[in-house]
Amino acid sequence: MLRSLKFRFTLVAVFLLISCVYCLPNFVEIKGSLKKYLPTDKINLGLDLKGGIHLLLEMDTEKLLNSVMDRKVETLKDSMIRHGVRFLSLGRKETEITVSLRPEHKDRLFTLVMNEFPDLKFVNQKEKIDEIEVTFVLPENHFLDIKENATLQALEIIRNRIDQFGVVEPVITKEGEDRILIQLPGVKDPQRALDVIGKTAMLEFKLVDEENMKTYTGGPPPEGSEVLPMRVKSRETGVETKVPILLKKQTVLTGEFLTDASVKIGGELGSEPYVALEFNSEGARIFERITAENVGRRLAIILDNVVYSAPVIKERISGGKASITGAFTMDEAKDLAIVLRAGALPAPVKVVQNITIGPTLGQDSIRRGVRASILGALLVVGFMVFYYRGSGVIANIALLLNMIYLFGAFTALKATLTLPGIAGIILTIGMGVDTNVLIFERIREELRLGKTPRAAIESGYEKAWVTIFDSHVTTLITTFILFIFGTGPIRGFAVTLSIGIIINLFTAVFGSKAIFDWIIMKYKPRSLSI
């Protein structure tokens, strides 16, 4: 008995010590050399407690469709040229692709489409005097698959960007077919977060049209060229303007070959931040060839159809390294590097819902939640002492242990506390009390039958155990289902409640029984205060 008691008290004390150590950073700032030995993380607060932003983004499916079909047309064109299918014209209208060609090339075209473009479906054929016009279409169900995959890809890219942005415990989930729900607790600059999340980050390199640049005075650009806005930022005032620049339409290199983007200090003034780019081996080869063939010309670096810089190529550049300069602030350079590293979104996204929750509302929520918890705990503690007297004190000790273990586990697991989480804590308090009431009522019944305090305690715990275990396991199964199918605050509630239930089983049954056994062994009472 004595050995068993020592073991149980040691176990309770070890868990108590570990929980107190993990709870410490929530009350005292850990400084200096103590950081090497003690945990420093506090409990993470959710969006409803800490404040932050709530965003609902929607994929621009029309632009996605146009992008997919444009790539399909370009790939079909390359394939026809590669396989010697001579065509007269190639065009598209929405999801239809029409090819005009001589009748003798028709069979080769169908063979090519069947082998390399199985997703295109033949729909129509028009015969003229010496040519034939064949139309293929991308079926709607295939586009739905593309939309689904694009949304999932966007979800991963946004998650990568937010991870690099440094937000703790963000909520990023798919909602419906083409929407993404984002909650960022603690973000104080919503516009900066929106810029990082919503940027498509399509990186392209194009040559400046030097031949026509001097004579171009506005209006439609010459054939094979296009006009894009170029970002110009004043170093003195920080004011950003956009001026038109004439570029060759052909993209000579894209961001798909990019392997890294990082912020460096240097630039034209030697002390300003810029973004250094690194390409893979294939990208490095292409970049070296382009720079070798165009020494003395300007190469424009374009992100989302905006020219960020257009430096003059002074010599062949090998090694696959380039840089984007443009009088960036450190934050602008970091954000640009983040979106380039995380990759480009498959299509632009638009903000459907943007709610900023201020820290004032969060503090008010915390105050109300803490007040409700303290009031509930005081009422419960008072009731247990009033109704069960000495045994009620033991139940309250078990309840206190439960709370310390719960907050220790919360901090150690880096879980996020939300308002539903606080509701879960209050529910845990209720279940802890309910467990002790079940046990105490069984003990009372045994005492009425004339059993000794020791026999009544043993029998009371034994009879109450089945009911307690059953109620805790069924609640645990419910929280598991909530965690699997719920999102955001519902998951927070499920995590809080499940951790609380497991701890409750330990403290209310194992912990309180150890205290009863110690009292029986040390004082050998003839009656119980219950």
Side-chain angles (χ1 to χ4, degrees):
M1 179 76 172
L2 181 62
R3 184 177 295 177
S4 166
L5 259 181
K6 280 183 178 175
F7 170 73
R8 282 185 281 170
F9 274 116
T10 304
L11 202 59
V12 170
V14 168
F15 284 143
L16 182 63
L17 180 66
I18 294 172
S19 300
C20 286
V21 168
Y22 273 104
C23 283
L24 203 58
N26 295 299
F27 304 100
V28 182
E29 189 179 353
I30 308 297
K31 295 180 179 177
S33 58
L34 286 175
K35 287 183 178 178
K36 292 181 182 176
Y37 308 103
L38 295 175
T40 55
D41 292 329
K42 295 181 181 179
I43 290 178
N44 297 319
L45 300 180
L47 188 68
D48 48 1
L49 297 178
K50 197 174 184 179
I53 60 172
H54 166 107
L55 296 170
L56 187 60
L57 306 180
E58 187 177 78
M59 183 86 67
D60 189 335
T61 51
E62 190 179 337
K63 287 196 176 176
L64 175 66
L65 176 65
N66 285 332
S67 169
V68 168
M69 291 308 298
D70 284 344
R71 282 203 303 270
K72 194 75 74 182
V73 169
E74 283 300 314
T75 314
L76 179 61
K77 181 182 173 184
D78 290 344
S79 293
M80 286 194 294
I81 293 171
R82 201 170 60 249
H83 289 87
V85 181
R86 299 181 67 180
F87 58 96
L88 302 171
S89 67
L90 172 66
R92 85 161 178 94
K93 186 179 179 184
E94 297 182 348
T95 57
E96 289 184 355
I97 298 176
T98 303
V99 184
S100 293
L101 69 172
R102 303 290 181 199
E104 59 267 27
H105 290 283
K106 178 187 158 189
D107 290 342
R108 296 178 71 179
L109 173 66
F110 274 89
T111 305
L112 173 70
V113 170
M114 189 174 64
N115 292 334
E116 297 192 10
F117 301 90
D119 49 342
L120 289 180
K121 185 182 173 186
F122 167 72
V123 287
N124 192 20
Q125 170 179 311
K126 287 182 186 173
E127 295 186 5
K128 297 179 182 175
I129 299 172
D130 56 350
E131 68 180 78
I132 191 167
E133 194 176 272
V134 184
T135 302
F136 300 94
V137 68
L138 186 72
E140 189 177 349
N141 61 341
H142 191 76
F143 178 65
L144 289 176
D145 290 341
I146 291 173
K147 191 165 71 171
E148 168 86 15
N149 291 334
T151 307
L152 293 174
Q153 187 187 348
L155 197 74
E156 281 307 307
I157 290 168
I158 289 173
R159 184 171 287 126
N160 284 340
R161 290 182 183 182
I162 290 172
D163 285 347
Q164 295 184 45
F165 195 61
V167 179
V168 178
E169 294 289 327
V171 174
I172 309 161
T173 56
K174 183 170 172 282
E175 191 165 287
E177 288 184 353
D178 53 7
R179 291 186 170 186
I180 297 171
L181 172 72
I182 302 169
Q183 290 186 340
L184 306 176
V187 171
K188 294 175 182 172
D189 188 350
Q191 190 53 50
R192 188 183 164 205
L194 264 174
D195 289 343
V196 171
I197 294 166
K199 195 166 280 192
T200 310
M202 188 172 70
L203 180 68
E204 297 171 290
F205 290 76
K206 293 182 180 181
L207 289 166
V208 176
D209 188 354
E210 307 283 4
E211 295 81 10
N212 295 307
M213 191 74 183
K214 291 176 184 172
T215 55
Y216 179 70
T217 55
E223 191 175 347
S225 299
E226 64 179 346
V227 177
L228 288 181
M230 181 170 175
R231 178 182 177 274
V232 179
K233 190 174 179 183
S234 167
R235 288 190 172 86
E236 289 76 27
T237 62
V239 176
E240 185 180 315
T241 54
K242 288 191 172 68
V243 296
I245 182 169
L246 193 65
L247 305 174
K248 293 286 186 187
K249 232 174 189 176
Q250 186 191 4
T251 302
V252 292
L253 185 64
T254 65
E256 66 179 303
F257 302 105
L258 197 69
T259 57
D260 192 23
S262 57
V263 178
K264 303 271 172 126
I265 301 295
E268 293 176 12
L269 297 180
S271 60
E272 65 182 27
Y274 69 95
V275 179
L277 308 176
E278 283 189 31
F279 297 101
N280 60 17
S281 55
E282 188 178 354
R285 271 199 308 277
I286 296 171
F287 193 64
E288 185 175 359
R289 178 179 54 76
I290 293 165
T291 51
E293 292 172 356
N294 296 282
V295 173
R297 300 184 65 179
R298 284 191 290 167
L299 183 66
I301 303 170
I302 306 151
L303 187 70
D304 293 343
N305 287 327
V306 174
V307 179
Y308 271 68
S309 55
V312 176
I313 303 169
K314 294 177 182 172
E315 59 185 352
R316 172 200 294 258
I317 303 173
S318 57
K321 291 186 178 179
S323 61
I324 305 178
T325 57
F328 296 119
T329 64
M330 183 54 84
D331 280 345
E332 286 173 340
K334 279 181 183 174
D335 294 348
L336 188 57
I338 285 172
V339 295
L340 288 172
R341 273 201 303 270
L345 292 175
V349 290
K350 56 184 176 186
V351 180
V352 178
Q353 196 176 49
N354 178 6
I355 301 172
T356 302
I357 300 171
T360 308
L361 181 61
Q363 287 298 325
D364 188 51
S365 301
I366 293 172
R367 269 197 301 274
R368 286 170 185 266
V370 170
R371 278 180 197 164
S373 303
I374 291 174
L375 182 64
L378 286 176
L379 286 174
V380 166
V381 167
F383 170 78
M384 292 302 285
V385 174
F386 171 77
Y387 198 71
Y388 291 109
R389 292 172 290 177
S391 298
V393 175
I394 296 174
N396 289 336
I397 293 172
L399 201 60
L400 179 65
L401 285 174
N402 193 333
M403 289 299 101
I404 296 173
Y405 289 164
L406 183 61
F407 281 103
F410 240 75
T411 315
L413 295 173
K414 297 182 179 176
T416 301
L417 185 64
T418 59
L419 272 181
I422 292 176
I425 292 172
I426 295 171
L427 189 56
T428 302
I429 294 173
M431 290 194 69
V433 173
D434 187 48
T435 303
N436 285 122
V437 169
L438 276 172
I439 295 168
F440 293 169
E441 289 302 318
R442 292 287 180 276
I443 293 175
R444 277 181 169 180
E445 286 173 8
E446 298 300 318
L447 288 172
R448 286 192 205 105
L449 292 174
K451 290 187 177 179
T452 62
R454 181 171 183 172
I457 290 168
E458 291 294 335
S459 187
Y461 270 91
E462 191 178 332
K463 288 182 178 176
W465 168 247
V466 177
T467 309
I468 294 167
F469 184 76
D470 181 59
S471 66
H472 279 64
V473 169
T474 49
T475 310
L476 206 57
I477 291 170
T478 309
T479 58
F480 180 72
I481 293 169
L482 282 175
F483 183 80
I484 295 295
F485 294 103
T487 58
I490 296 175
R491 277 192 163 193
F493 173 76
V495 170
T496 311
L497 191 56
S498 55
I499 294 173
I501 287 169
I502 294 167
I503 293 173
N504 189 49
L505 267 180
F506 179 78
T507 54
V509 180
F510 187 86
S512 64
K513 177 75 164 37
I515 298 173
F516 271 118
D517 286 345
W518 176 75
I519 292 171
I520 293 293
M521 192 185 74
K522 185 171 179 64
Y523 298 103
K524 298 181 175 54
R526 293 184 179 178
S527 63
L528 270 181
S529 176
I530 191 167

